[in-house]
Structure formats: structure tokens, C-alpha cells
Amino acid sequence: MNPILRNILAVIAGLFIGGVVNNILILISGSIIPAPNGADVSTREGLVAAMPFFEPKNFIFPFLAHALGTFAGSAATIKIAFSNKTKLAFIVGAFFLLAGIIMVTILPSPVWYTILDLTFAYIPMSYLAVKLFRKKAQKI
């Protein structure tokens, strides 16, 4: 396969895999840590209205979804890419960071969570994936 095409497909696969991991964690989050009583989190409007009643525990799974989704996407990209694995992993992290920035503008969250999420859930998770998987990929 053409190396450039393989790298493009690696980024697309990383974004897809990361998105799937993110969505799975968001979907199961309510069954593990339920929303506050009476909160309708099935719509954007309901979620915005319920946000003031959320406790810090309600932000655990969104953070994990963002962090683990980015990590999984970056790791998959590293495994699939032909070359420039580090750069491509950070491109995936940058896409997820952009999505996180868009999300906090669409769905306002507490300032502490926004800072935590945007600072630690995206680029650092790509960096961790690079540190864990890039060395193994080089040895192969």
C-alpha cells in the first residue's frame, strides 16, 4: 500500500476508533454514575439546564471518555501508520482537542472542568500513547 495513503488511513482509523471509545464511555456513564435526580440529559437543553446540579463525580466519565478516546485513537494511528507515527498521533490528539474546544462552547461546563479537560485529556494522552507504543513500533 502507498505509504501516504496508509498514513491518511491511519489518522482516519485513529479518529474513528477514538470516537467509538469516547461514545461507549459516554453511553455507559449514566448507568455507573447517574445524573442528578430529575435531570434530563437526553437533550442538549436538558443537559445545559442540569449542569448546575452536577457534582464533580458526574464529570469523571466525560473526562475518561475524552482522555481514553484520544489515547486509543493515537495508539491506533501509531500502530497503523507507515511513517511519521509521532506527528500523526499528535494530529489525532489535535483533532480531539479541537472537538473538545467546540464541545465546551456548545455545552458550557464548570471552569475547573474545562481547564482540566482541555489541559490533560487530549495532547497529554497522545503523548502517552507515543511514549508507550512508539518505542515498540520502532523495534518491529
Side-chain angles (χ1 to χ4, degrees), residues 2 23 25 40 44 50 54 58 63 67 74-75 85 87 97-98 109 113-114 123 126 134 138 140:
N2 181 328
N23 284 326
L25 288 169
D40 173 22
R44 179 189 173 283
F54 276 31
N58 297 110
F63 178 80
S74 293
K85 295 172 184 276
K87 289 179 187 175
L97 175 60
L98 178 61
S109 57
Y113 175 74
T114 299
I123 301 303
S126 289
R134 181 72 175 114
Q138 284 178 334
I140 295 174

Side-chain angles (χ1 to χ4, degrees), residues 4-45:
I4 294 171
L5 179 61
R6 184 168 167 182
N7 286 347
I8 291 169
L9 291 175
V11 171
I12 292 169
L15 292 172
F16 178 78
I17 290 167
V20 168
V21 170
N22 183 321
N23 284 326
I24 288 171
L25 288 169
I26 292 297
L27 287 174
I28 66 169
S29 67
S31 61
I32 297 172
I33 300 175
N37 288 335
D40 173 22
V41 294
S42 62
T43 66
R44 179 189 173 283
E45 294 78 16

